[in-house]
Amino acid sequence: MSIAPEKMEEGQKLSNFSWESVSMNVKVGKQDKKILDGISGTLRGGEVCALMGPSGAGKTSLLNVLAGRVRSRGNVKVDGSILLDNLPISGSALRKRIAYVMQQDILTPTQTVRESLWFSANLRLPKSYSRKEKEELVEKTLKELGLEKCADTYIGDDMIRGVSGGEKKRTCVGIELIMKPKLIFLDEPTSGLDSYAAHNVVMRLKDMAAHDGCNVLCTIHQPSSEVFHQFNSVMVLRSGKRFYFGPLSGLSTSLHAAGKGCPNEFNLADHVMFVLQTESSEALDKIEMQMQEATPASQHPEMPHDKSVMTMKLEGAHAGFFTQLAALTKREFQNVYRDKAGLIASILVPLILNVFFALIFFQVGNIDRSEWTAQAHFGGMTQVAIGGMFGAAQPLLLKFPLDRGIFLREYELPQSFLNACITWGAAYFIMGLQGSFIMYVLIFWITGVAAASTALLVGCLAANPEVAQQAAPAVFVPQLLFAGFFIQSEQIPVWLRWAQYLCALKYGMNLNIMNEFGTDVIQDWPVQKQAMVSGLIENNNINPDHGWLYAGVLIGIIVVVRLLSVVALAKRAAAFF
């Protein structure tokens, strides 16, 4: 029977999630390292299960394997059966029934809690849902997660005051729950929260699991006694193997039977972790065997055999391209104007820096000055162009690997244009340049977007900001060398000159030189100075008739590099699904 994400008919059975003999091996050199070893278990609708174990026990690995985020690929081999309602977890239809809340809270700090939930509902629910239905679902989720009081408060971050850590975590949960999934994975949802906030998060999860019939599996680290006893069941891992799986009462009873009972007034979660980390491997094998013997057969979870289970299908198409574009554009504009400190900095920093650079190159474009030289004149233009390239690329290099969820920067074009106006407004008149001001702004703008596109590709390929920063010199330093200032194109070895055609800055500088030293600009200059700049044009292989070609190449670089970025991002996403 086909039903929408939350429109379920009465009498539908609860969802079953089961996994059997799940193993994971990673090939390191010529040896195989076993990360997970034959782990089995099952959850029935409405259960909240804790996944515990010492560091390196395989908690997160198991969570990622069960969620389908890690599969056999390359040096990783995954085996076992993983079923949701007796169907393998594969394909987009089944994946839409699964939610995964990462340990790191990936939220837009300038959005309110309500806006974050609405954003998810607007883009992820089928078109068959009316705006009113989506709004009602958002309000219902706010109420169920206890977020009504902070619904209109910014999410916040280190720089912007916002909601508390517990409220932020519940917002992350709510964003995923909008789709009413049947299976929810959470990676350490209580990490960084105080005892009360952690208890509140788990309690809300338990209430929603019981209400909606979904299964919840989460890794957890050092829970308080109050938090730990909110869970229906617990799976304890050691060295990639299952040490215990069952109800919390069964864990306490079986530990007692093995002679390792938890003393009164001790935290059971802390106690079992202490046993796992202080006993020898041989002793733990014996304890595990005694625990299994003491556990009643009824407490051993078994694979479900009921074949008559609920199926679900998302009805209708989801938000189209233009709906997504509008939503993303609105969110990014909000991010710009609500982040007052960042907005002011994005205006003042380029303004102050370029005024300083312009004063260093004061009136280098004034040919009536006795100290005028073509090299200094060209150097001033080059400095502004280089500053613009790094200014456009640096934010994306730093931010994108941390913020892959926001991979379309719709505000980038207007912000880059504003930056171009500020930069040349500060430098043009002080430096005494003579080319068209508007042309300088447009050239700076398109060259900056090309540089940002290159940085975007590096960010898509890089695993983290550190890798992106280390890769940046290999991408951008050659552009400086081929710009024509440090060495003219004619002086570069012939077998290396081809690389200049891959450098956006080269084409931007070609256009800048044509704008500043074009025939219509220098026709009234002294003949000697005309000869000096004409030689500059010739030695850098610039054809004055190819201005539109240079502009077209820049646009081509933007389009091609961004398409490659999309492909790289899609492949990285495919690695998790």
Side-chain angles (χ1 to χ4, degrees):
M1 182 179 295
S2 298
I3 54 177
E6 71 161 21
K7 298 176 179 178
M8 299 185 180
E9 296 183 7
E10 292 184 6
Q12 289 286 355
K13 296 186 178 182
L14 299 176
S15 182
N16 283 325
F17 176 57
S18 56
W19 61 101
E20 185 172 25
S21 302
V22 170
S23 299
M24 175 181 172
N25 295 292
V26 177
K27 194 173 186 63
V28 181
K30 296 183 178 181
Q31 296 182 337
D32 284 339
K33 182 178 180 181
K34 188 171 287 291
I35 307 299
L36 302 173
D37 187 5
I39 301 175
S40 301
T42 185
L43 296 177
R44 293 176 175 81
E47 283 193 52
V48 181
C49 177
L51 186 56
M52 296 180 59
S55 298
K59 302 185 298 296
T60 301
S61 296
L62 178 60
L63 196 73
N64 287 330
V65 168
L66 295 180
R69 293 169 65 88
V70 174
R71 297 174 297 173
S72 294
R73 180 184 282 111
N75 63 341
V76 178
K77 183 180 180 181
V78 176
D79 294 309
S81 172
I82 305 173
L83 304 176
L84 179 59
D85 293 337
N86 292 337
L87 296 174
I89 297 181
S90 61
S92 59
L94 275 175
R95 291 201 300 266
K96 287 173 182 176
R97 301 178 63 190
I98 298 172
Y100 191 103
V101 181
M102 292 182 284
Q103 182 178 352
Q104 182 183 6
D105 298 330
I106 301 179
L107 298 167
T108 303
T110 50
Q111 275 192 317
T112 65
V113 173
R114 178 179 277 110
E115 287 171 344
S116 296
L117 296 182
W118 167 253
F119 183 86
S120 179
N122 191 31
L123 296 190
R124 300 172 72 183
L125 289 174
K127 290 181 179 179
S128 57
Y129 279 72
S130 66
R131 182 181 180 89
K132 183 179 179 181
E133 286 177 313
K134 292 178 181 179
E135 289 175 345
E136 289 175 350
L137 181 56
V138 168
E139 295 304 316
K140 178 184 175 184
T141 304
L142 288 170
K143 182 177 181 180
E144 290 177 343
L145 290 174
L147 294 170
E148 291 176 295
K149 292 183 179 179
C150 63
D152 297 310
T153 303
Y154 289 162
I155 298 295
D157 58 12
D158 293 337
M159 302 298 294
I160 301 173
R161 187 175 180 180
V163 298
S164 68
E167 291 166 338
K168 190 177 295 184
K169 182 62 68 176
R170 278 181 275 149
T171 301
C172 288
V173 173
I175 287 172
E176 295 299 327
L177 293 182
I178 283 292
M179 286 294 293
K180 292 298 177 184
K182 300 308 296 178
L183 182 57
I184 306 171
F185 296 97
L186 302 100
D187 189 7
E188 298 201 17
T190 61
S191 177
L193 303 182
D194 61 46
S195 180
Y196 176 75
H199 179 269
N200 206 358
V201 167
V202 176
M203 184 179 66
R204 298 285 179 179
L205 285 172
K206 186 176 182 180
D207 290 343
M208 293 194 72
H211 181 269
D212 297 332
C214 59
N215 288 305
V216 179
L217 179 63
C218 61
T219 61
I220 195 155
H221 181 65
Q222 289 185 321
S224 67
S225 183
E226 292 82 3
V227 169
F228 188 55
H229 283 85
Q230 288 292 324
F231 291 97
N232 302 109
S233 58
V234 59
M235 175 174 280
V236 182
L237 301 182
R238 74 173 181 95
S239 302
K241 298 180 180 180
R242 191 179 88 176
F243 180 74
Y244 173 83
F245 180 42
L248 270 66
S249 58
L251 175 61
S252 179
T253 301
S254 56
L255 281 173
H256 272 288
K260 294 293 180 181
C262 180
N264 293 332
E265 301 182 3
F266 274 52
N267 184 337
L268 179 59
D270 286 340
H271 176 70
V272 70
M273 289 298 101
F274 184 80
V275 170
L276 288 173
Q277 295 178 85
T278 56
E279 297 290 340
S280 66
S281 180
E282 294 77 11
L284 288 174
D285 289 339
K286 183 178 180 181
I287 293 171
E288 182 179 353
M289 185 178 300
Q290 292 172 334
M291 289 174 65
Q292 291 176 353
E293 292 173 353
T295 303
S298 60
Q299 287 192 10
H300 286 294
E302 298 178 354
M303 301 286 286
H305 298 289
D306 186 359
K307 302 296 182 182
S308 176
V309 294
M310 178 187 63
T311 59
M312 179 166 61
K313 177 180 177 182
L314 295 179
E315 295 179 343
H318 289 68
F321 172 78
F322 291 105
T323 301
Q324 294 180 43
L325 182 64
L328 287 164
T329 301
K330 178 182 178 181
R331 179 172 71 170
E332 295 312 306
F333 270 113
Q334 285 178 336
N335 188 45
V336 172
Y337 73 74
R338 287 178 176 178
D339 185 5
K340 299 296 190 301
L343 181 60
I344 293 172
S346 68
I347 294 174
L348 289 182
V349 170
L351 178 64
I352 294 171
L353 278 178
N354 283 283
V355 167
F356 176 70
F357 294 148
L359 290 173
I360 294 175
F361 290 94
F362 183 74
Q363 292 297 303
V364 291
N366 186 351
I367 62 171
D368 296 327
R369 298 183 69 188
S370 58
E371 60 269 28
W372 179 91
T373 64
Q375 186 72 7
H377 195 159
F378 183 31
M381 298 160 46
T382 304
Q383 171 57 46
V384 176
I386 292 173
M389 179 183 71
F390 282 107
Q394 194 76 0
L396 280 177
L397 281 172
L398 289 171
K399 184 175 178 61
F400 189 79
L402 292 174
D403 199 16
R404 298 186 201 274
I406 307 172
F407 59 88
L408 294 175
R409 308 296 296 183
E410 288 75 22
Y411 69 90
E412 179 188 322
L413 294 181
Q415 191 174 40
S416 297
F417 183 77
L418 175 62
N419 190 44
C421 294
I422 293 171
T423 297
W424 281 110
Y428 181 82
F429 301 101
I430 297 176
M431 293 171 67
L433 300 180
Q434 301 184 38
S436 166
F437 176 82
I438 296 299
M439 285 301 299
Y440 270 128
V441 169
L442 294 176
I443 294 167
F444 187 98
W445 184 32
I446 192 172
T447 306
V449 174
S453 301
T454 305
L456 188 65
L457 178 58
V458 174
C460 288
L461 296 172
N464 52 60
E466 289 74 21
V467 173
Q469 286 293 308
Q470 292 170 3
V475 176
F476 292 106
V477 170
Q479 303 213 34
L480 307 183
L481 301 179
F482 287 110
F485 177 74
F486 298 102
I487 183 172
Q488 295 181 344
S489 298
E490 286 293 325
Q491 297 173 293
I492 298 173
V494 176
W495 55 276
L496 275 177
R497 290 180 193 173
W498 62 269
Q500 66 183 308
Y501 301 113
L502 303 177
C503 300
L505 184 61
K506 166 64 178 175
Y507 296 103
M509 285 307 305
N510 286 358
L511 293 171
N512 281 332
I513 290 173
M514 291 171 59
N515 183 43
E516 184 68 15
F517 301 131
T519 304
D520 56 336
V521 176
I522 67 171
Q523 60 185 353
D524 296 327
W525 287 18
V527 176
Q528 183 182 6
K529 294 183 178 180
Q530 285 189 38
M532 293 174 66
V533 297
S534 296
L536 186 67
I537 293 174
E538 293 174 5
N539 291 334
N540 281 295
N541 296 326
I542 300 172
N543 189 328
D545 297 326
H546 289 174
W548 286 108
L549 175 62
Y550 300 145
V553 172
L554 279 173
I555 294 174
I557 289 174
I558 293 170
V559 173
V560 171
V561 172
R562 291 197 174 232
L563 286 175
L564 290 174
S565 300
V566 172
V567 172
L569 190 65
K571 285 191 173 182
R572 185 172 286 276
F576 293 108
F577 297 102

